[in-house]
Amino acid sequence: MSAKNRLGNFFEDFQVGQKVAHAPPRTITEGDVALYTALTGSRFATTSADTFAHSLGFPRAPVDDLLAFNMVFGRTVQDISLNAIANLGYAAGRFGHPVYPGDTLSADSTVIGLRENSDGRSGIVHVRSCGVNQRGQIALEYCRWVMVRKRDPRSPPQPTCVPELPDEVDVGELVVPAGIRLNQYDTSLSGSDELWEDYAAGERIDHVDGVTIEESEHMLATRLYQNASRVHFNQQSERGGRFGRRVVYGGHILSLARALSFNGLANAFTIAAINGGRHVSPAFAGDTIYAWTEVIEPLTLPGRSDVGALRLRTVATKDLPCSNFPYKTADGSHEAGVLLDFDYTVLIPRRA
């Protein structure tokens, strides 16, 4: 009998230049938005209230940027990372057209790099993924690299090709949503009166609050994005794996860190770019997540006096409050307890 089930792609199945269209597309509903809010606690005014968003020129409250990101990421898992050992990092990410409830997102990925590991059992696959709406407008695009198992360790190695990726997205490439106006930005409704001028390079913000991950919640969040990776769901198979238990999807940690950052960055109303990011260590149910952020650089946007940008580094930890801003040791390695090292750029209103 012919096999009709899909086991996902292994390292040997990828070739540089290969383009993969991912199935299925996903229409984002108001129910998805409500569930995302319930699972993350995100409180940013622009994505919480149609009235607030409309006052800025949006037709309605857009979908949270990381909900859109995770939805696009979820499209890619079956083809790119179903046999992954670890998702290693992100770069060159740029958000484009806002996503609204009712929009349908489709995704494709292009393989841009391959490198077999020295043990011959796995390799690193670099891809550039793109998510578009039903009108063909780019919602977001980003690069990531993932460690993928080989089907047969004895198979010959793939030719090595490691792409050169930028350290940051240039400010001239940042997309300000078309038609927005910030002269009516109401800080009494956003939850903070701190705007672009109130942040300085090198400033560190402890977001104070913590959130404990429950087993059912992290699996529900991952199912929301239709991420089918078995390491997040199948305790029977993971009992014999590296950690002996299910691993929390890294995108859920991203979303929790962003939600926690509201306390100190409430007016960072949209994410414009992902400059780089790394999941430093795994998280599990029962871990309590904390976060802190460093302002890497305030950025002015060409031709705009009403909105600026902040390049940020948000660090998420587990079971480790962030009043002392845990990050790296003297030798450059991340401190124990650090989960996420995320370099990204947000848009924030300027004072008139």
Side-chain angles (χ1 to χ4, degrees), residues 96-166:
H97 198 276
V99 177
Y100 299 97
D103 282 347
T104 297
L105 293 179
S106 301
D108 61 55
S109 297
T110 301
V111 180
I112 59 173
L114 295 170
R115 178 177 63 82
E116 184 167 312
N117 289 328
S118 58
D119 64 5
R121 297 180 178 275
S122 62
I124 310 301
V125 180
H126 297 254
V127 297
R128 178 181 290 109
S129 298
C130 182
V132 301
N133 65 19
Q134 66 275 17
R135 293 176 293 276
Q137 297 164 316
I138 295 177
L140 67 140
E141 54 188 348
Y142 62 94
C143 297
R144 71 165 170 138
W145 48 104
V146 56
M147 187 184 302
V148 180
R149 293 178 178 87
K150 291 184 68 176
R151 179 183 290 104
D152 181 0
R154 298 167 297 179
S155 64
Q158 295 268 37
T160 296
C161 175
V162 178
E164 292 187 14
L165 297 172

Side-chain angles (χ1 to χ4, degrees), residues 230-285:
R230 61 182 63 91
V231 299
H232 308 310
F233 300 111
N234 191 328
Q235 179 58 32
Q236 187 173 27
S237 66
E238 292 313 300
R239 187 177 292 114
R242 287 192 300 161
F243 306 111
R245 59 187 304 193
R246 288 162 285 193
V247 179
V248 175
Y249 164 50
H252 188 50
I253 302 299
L254 276 176
S255 292
L256 291 177
R258 166 71 170 161
L260 290 169
S261 76
F262 177 88
N263 190 350
L265 288 163
N267 290 319
F269 67 92
T270 191
I271 300 175
I274 297 173
N275 301 302
R278 180 183 171 194
H279 297 291
V280 177
S281 60
F284 305 97

Side-chain angles (χ1 to χ4, degrees), residues 42-337:
S42 182
R43 293 183 286 161
F44 293 95
T46 306
T47 53
S48 295
D50 284 345
T51 51
F52 189 92
H54 192 260
S55 73
L56 306 184
F58 292 98
R60 62 178 302 185
V63 168
D64 188 289
D65 298 304
L66 290 182
L67 173 55
F69 170 84
N70 283 316
M71 284 293 193
V72 171
F73 189 105
R75 310 301 96 215
T76 73
V77 169
Q78 184 74 34
D79 300 306
I80 304 299
S81 50
L82 193 64
N83 293 303
I85 297 170
N87 186 48
L88 299 177
Y90 310 97
R94 194 167 65 107
F95 289 81
H97 198 276
V99 177
Y100 299 97
D103 282 347
T104 297
L105 293 179
S106 301
D108 61 55
S109 297
T110 301
V111 180
I112 59 173
L114 295 170
R115 178 177 63 82
E116 184 167 312
N117 289 328
S118 58
D119 64 5
R121 297 180 178 275
S122 62
I124 310 301
V125 180
H126 297 254
V127 297
R128 178 181 290 109
S129 298
C130 182
V132 301
N133 65 19
Q134 66 275 17
R135 293 176 293 276
Q137 297 164 316
I138 295 177
L140 67 140
E141 54 188 348
Y142 62 94
C143 297
R144 71 165 170 138
W145 48 104
V146 56
M147 187 184 302
V148 180
R149 293 178 178 87
K150 291 184 68 176
R151 179 183 290 104
D152 181 0
R154 298 167 297 179
S155 64
Q158 295 268 37
T160 296
C161 175
V162 178
E164 292 187 14
L165 297 172
D167 293 330
E168 62 182 294
V169 176
D170 185 85
V171 68
E173 297 180 3
L174 302 180
V175 175
V176 178
I180 68 164
R181 55 186 185 275
L182 299 177
N183 58 312
Q184 297 185 50
Y185 194 93
D186 190 338
T187 57
S188 67
L189 296 178
S190 69
S192 171
D193 59 4
E194 291 159 333
L195 302 178
W196 182 82
E197 290 81 0
D198 298 308
Y199 295 89
E203 179 180 359
R204 292 181 167 189
I205 304 163
D206 175 12
H207 300 304
V208 181
D209 308 304
V211 57
T212 301
I213 300 173
E214 302 294 344
E215 198 81 84
S216 59
E217 290 176 348
H218 84 80
M219 290 190 295
L220 187 59
T222 309
R223 288 194 187 99
L224 173 65
Y225 316 130
Q226 296 176 317
N227 179 337
S229 180
R230 61 182 63 91
V231 299
H232 308 310
F233 300 111
N234 191 328
Q235 179 58 32
Q236 187 173 27
S237 66
E238 292 313 300
R239 187 177 292 114
R242 287 192 300 161
F243 306 111
R245 59 187 304 193
R246 288 162 285 193
V247 179
V248 175
Y249 164 50
H252 188 50
I253 302 299
L254 276 176
S255 292
L256 291 177
R258 166 71 170 161
L260 290 169
S261 76
F262 177 88
N263 190 350
L265 288 163
N267 290 319
F269 67 92
T270 191
I271 300 175
I274 297 173
N275 301 302
R278 180 183 171 194
H279 297 291
V280 177
S281 60
F284 305 97
D287 290 342
T288 299
I289 309 304
Y290 298 90
W292 66 273
T293 295
E294 178 183 6
V295 179
I296 299 175
E297 183 182 10
L299 301 165
T300 57
L301 300 177
R304 300 296 298 243
S305 60
D306 59 336
V307 60
L310 298 175
R311 183 180 175 189
L312 307 172
R313 172 181 292 110
T314 291
V315 177
T317 65
K318 60 178 178 180
D319 300 332
L320 183 64
C322 293
S323 58
N324 293 325
F325 308 108
Y327 187 40
K328 290 185 176 181
T329 62
D331 66 2
S333 59
H334 287 90
E335 292 184 24

